[in-house]
């Protein structure tokens, strides 16, 4: 076993945590955009979703 295995485990754990936080953030903003009573808050949440879900120029 080399020293790279613990490092790769830490990287994978960090990536998993970051992915989970991003998913929860997008879900919370999407719920706010759909369920907020105030139209200004819904509009702001939709704008935040545009930023969070935008595609990169060289993306898929």
């Amino acid at each position: 076993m080399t020293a790279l295995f613990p490092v790769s485990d830490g990287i994978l754990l960090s990536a998993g945590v970051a992915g989970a936080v991003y998913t929860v953030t997008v879900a919370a903003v999407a719920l706010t955009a759909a369920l907020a009573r105030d139209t200004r808050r819904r509009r702001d949440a939709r704008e935040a979703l545009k930023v969070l879900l935008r595609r990169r120029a060289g993306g898929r």
Side-chain angles (χ1 to χ4, degrees):
M1 196 174 257
T2 67
L4 291 178
F5 286 120
V7 172
S8 67
D9 286 343
I11 291 171
L12 291 175
L13 179 63
S14 298
V17 169
V21 168
Y22 178 76
T23 302
V24 168
T25 302
V26 169
V29 173
L31 282 173
T32 302
L35 301 176
R37 291 183 181 174
D38 186 17
T39 57
R40 185 177 37 161
R41 185 169 288 181
R42 283 196 308 267
R43 184 176 56 244
D44 290 344
R46 283 194 304 267
E47 292 298 320
L49 275 176
K50 287 180 186 177
V51 170
L52 288 171
L53 299 177
R54 69 177 175 213
R55 290 187 177 246
R56 307 219 190 287
R60 298 176 240 172

